[in-house]
Amino acid sequence: MAATTDTVHGRIEGVRIELTPTQLAVGLALVAALGFALLFVQEPMLHDSMHNFRHAAGITCH
Ligand SMILES: [Zn+2]
């Protein structure tokens, strides 16, 4: 394996060659949708963890 294919740029170039622009657009749309879903699902968990962190640090909020 050549060193240049091990870089992120090399992988992206390889994907561009293997996938059609339509496949690439669909893939990016799926990744974006999944990212948004995870963001909304994890938001309460993130809030709770920050809340617990504040209490652990001795900061009271209620
Ligand atoms: Zn609190």
Side-chain angles (χ1 to χ4, degrees):
M1 186 189 288
T4 49
T5 58
D6 223 16
T7 62
V8 172
H9 182 73
R11 286 181 202 151
I12 290 170
E13 285 301 310
V15 167
R16 275 184 188 159
I17 292 164
E18 289 168 18
L19 296 178
T20 66
T22 305
Q23 283 175 316
L24 202 61
V26 169
L28 286 173
L30 283 172
V31 168
L34 194 65
F36 273 116
L38 285 173
L39 200 69
F40 282 114
V41 166
Q42 291 184 348
E43 219 262 307
M45 278 198 294
L46 185 70
H47 184 90
D48 279 355
S49 67
M50 287 302 291
H51 185 189
N52 291 339
F53 178 77
R54 280 200 299 270
H55 280 279
I59 301 166
T60 53
C61 62
H62 55 86

